Amino acid sequence: MKYILILILFSSSLGFAQQKKTILLTNAYLHVGNGETIETAAVGIKNGEITLVKNSLTYSYSVTDWDTIIDLKGQHMYPGLVAPNSTLGLTEIDAVRATRDYDEVGTLNPHIRALIAYNVESDVIATVRSNGVLITQITPRGGIVTGSSSVMHLDGWNWEDAAISVDDGIHLNWPSSFPGRGKAVDKAEETKRKGEYEKKKREIYSFFTTALAYAEKNNREVPELRLEAMKDCFKGKKRVYIHANELQQLLDVLDFTRHFELKFPVIIGGYDSYLILQQLHDSKIPVMLPRVHSLPENEDDPIDLPFRLPGILREADIKFCLQNEGDMEAMNARNIPFLAGHTTGFGLSREDALRSVSLSSCEIMGIDKQYGSIEVGKKATLFVSKGSAFDMMTNDVTMALMNGVWVDLDDRQKQLYRKYKEKYKNQ
C-alpha cells in the first residue's frame, strides 16, 4: 500500500509539473535591455516565450489565467547576460592541460569546431550562471585561423541541447603589427619585425583568396574540409571575427574586409579603436571591446582608457559590446555584470551598460531576434536580482529562467559555503 501511495504521489507531481506551462512575474523593476525600464512590470511567459510585458499597476488578471504567479516585490529583472568570445565550457582548470580543450595544432584551422568540445557539466559554468550570465559564445584559440565559435546556453543535457547558434563565425587572429609593443628596439629589429608582419599578412590574404575561389565553385567531387568551413563567410551566412587591437592592425583589417567584401565582419579587441572612430563608423563594423578591468597598453595612455573606451564608442555611434578575453577568462566570466557596471562611471548610462552585455552582444552575434532583451516574442531567458546586478555589493540573483525553464543557481562555491558554515556554526 505504501508503494502504491508513493507511485500515486509521484505521478501526480509529474502531472502538476507538466501543467505549469505559464508563468507571470509581477511587480519587478524591469530593465528591458534596449535602454527602457518599467519600474513596476508584469512579465508573462508561455511555453518558454515572453507573451506579455506590461505595467503591473495597469494590468489586471485572474489567478486562473496563469499556472504560476510570483510577486517579485520590486526586485530587479534583467535579460540573461552574455559572455562573448570565451573559453567557458572549454576549460576547467587552466593549470591542468588535460582540461583545456580550446587550442588545436596548426595555424589555419577554420574546420575546427568549439561546439563539440563544450562541457555542459563544467563546475565553472555553474558559478558563472549564478551571477546572471546565461549565454556564452565559445571560441577556439591558437593559430591564425582558429576555428568556428558557437553560441550556447549555460545549461542543457549536452552540447546539442545547449546550442543556440551553431558555427556562427570563423575566428581570425590578425598578426601583431609590432611584436614587443611598448619596448624600445633598434632600427634593424624594427625592419625585421615589419617584414615578418607583412609576410603573415600575405599568408592570410592567400588563404582567403583560395577560400573565396573555392566558395565560388560549387561542384566539388571531393570537398576540402578547411575551405568548406569558409564558404559561408563569403555568402553572408557566417561572421568573420577578427582579433586585433593595435592601430596598424585595425587599419589593415578595414582594408582586408573591403578587399574580400565580407558581409559580417566583427573586430574583437579594438583597443586602439578610439583613434579611428570615423573609419569604424563608416565601415559599420561592430567591436567586441577588451576587458574593462585592464591596465593601459602603452606608457602614454590615460590610466582610465580601458574604462572609457565603451563610452567613447557609444558617443561615436559605433556598435560595440563587452567581452572578457584574458587570464582566467572562463572563471572570470562571472564578472561580466561588474565589467559593465564599471563603465557607468566613465561615460555609459546604467541601461547602456546593460545593453553592452546583453542586447548589443546578441545583435553582433545575430541572435537578437530571440535573445538579449525582455520583449514580447523573445525567448524567456532572464534573471532576477534583489539589488542592482552590476554592483558587487548588491548583486544577489534569486532566480533565473532559460527559454522559460527554471535554472539551478546552486554551484560548488555555495555548497562549500553552506558546508563550512554548518561546521563552524556552534563554535
Side-chain angles (χ1 to χ4, degrees), residues 47-315:
N47 298 322
E49 188 175 289
I50 298 170
T51 58
L52 177 137
V53 178
K54 292 185 178 294
N55 191 313
S56 293
L57 301 178
T58 59
Y59 174 60
S60 59
Y61 60 91
S62 168
V63 293
T64 59
D65 294 340
W66 304 90
D67 297 320
T68 304
I69 301 174
I70 300 176
D71 186 351
L72 295 177
K73 299 179 180 179
Q75 294 186 68
H76 294 258
M77 183 189 298
Y78 301 90
L81 305 184
V82 184
N85 181 40
S86 178
T87 55
L88 182 60
L90 303 179
T91 183
E92 196 69 9
I93 304 172
D94 281 351
V96 179
R97 176 65 184 87
T99 71
R100 304 198 305 264
D101 203 6
Y102 53 78
D103 196 349
E104 191 58 80
V105 296
T107 58
L108 300 171
N109 296 314
H111 58 298
I112 297 299
R113 307 173 73 205
L115 178 75
I116 58 176
Y118 185 63
N119 177 21
V120 295
E121 302 297 342
S122 168
D123 285 339
V124 179
I125 285 178
T127 66
V128 173
R129 195 170 56 208
S130 62
N131 238 18
V133 181
L134 305 180
I135 296 173
T136 187
Q137 180 195 40
I138 53 172
T139 305
R141 306 284 188 227
I144 296 176
V145 180
T146 65
S148 297
S149 60
S150 290
V151 185
M152 314 292 286
H153 283 303
L154 292 187
D155 199 10
W157 289 106
N158 47 45
W159 63 260
E160 294 99 330
D161 188 41
I164 295 175
S165 179
V166 173
D167 298 330
D168 72 302
I170 295 293
H171 287 255
L172 167 62
N173 285 326
W174 199 264
S176 177
S177 60
F178 192 66
R181 181 176 180 178
K183 298 180 181 178
V185 295
D186 58 33
K187 198 69 175 176
E189 182 66 17
E190 182 179 349
T191 302
K192 176 185 174 184
R193 291 179 176 181
K194 286 182 177 178
E196 292 173 349
Y197 174 66
E198 291 300 325
K199 179 181 177 182
K200 291 177 181 177
K201 217 167 67 167
R202 286 194 296 271
E203 185 179 355
I204 293 173
Y205 269 85
S206 175
F207 179 72
F208 270 75
T209 300
T210 302
L212 176 59
Y214 183 94
E216 290 174 344
K217 189 172 182 179
N218 294 320
N219 299 323
R220 294 280 178 178
E221 294 182 4
V222 181
E224 212 284 344
L225 290 180
R226 295 190 309 163
L227 301 181
E228 280 290 328
M230 294 290 296
K231 286 171 63 173
D232 287 344
C233 297
F234 304 105
K235 297 179 179 180
K237 298 179 181 179
K238 186 181 287 189
R239 284 157 172 74
V240 179
Y241 296 95
I242 307 173
H243 299 242
N245 278 295
E246 303 159 15
L247 176 60
Q248 187 61 56
Q249 286 180 306
L250 296 174
L251 292 173
D252 288 342
V253 164
L254 294 181
D255 290 339
F256 175 79
T257 59
R258 284 192 293 266
H259 178 85
F260 288 101
E261 299 181 350
L262 298 177
K263 302 296 189 297
F264 294 112
V266 178
I267 292 173
I268 295 183
Y271 178 85
D272 283 342
S273 57
Y274 70 101
L275 298 173
I276 52 168
L277 295 175
Q278 190 60 53
Q279 292 97 315
L280 280 175
H281 180 272
D282 293 344
S283 70
K284 301 189 184 316
I285 299 177
V287 182
M288 291 184 172
L289 285 172
R291 185 182 292 181
V292 173
H293 293 166
S294 301
L295 293 173
E297 290 286 336
N298 302 305
E299 291 181 355
D300 56 350
D301 287 342
I303 189 65
D304 61 351
L305 181 58
F307 314 148
R308 293 195 291 113
L309 273 176
I312 293 172
L313 265 63
R314 172 69 179 83
E315 186 68 23

Side-chain angles (χ1 to χ4, degrees), residues 156 169 245 299 315 326 339 370 387 398 423 427:
N245 278 295
E299 291 181 355
E315 186 68 23
L339 297 182
Q370 293 182 304
T398 57
K423 177 180 179 181
Q427 294 186 13

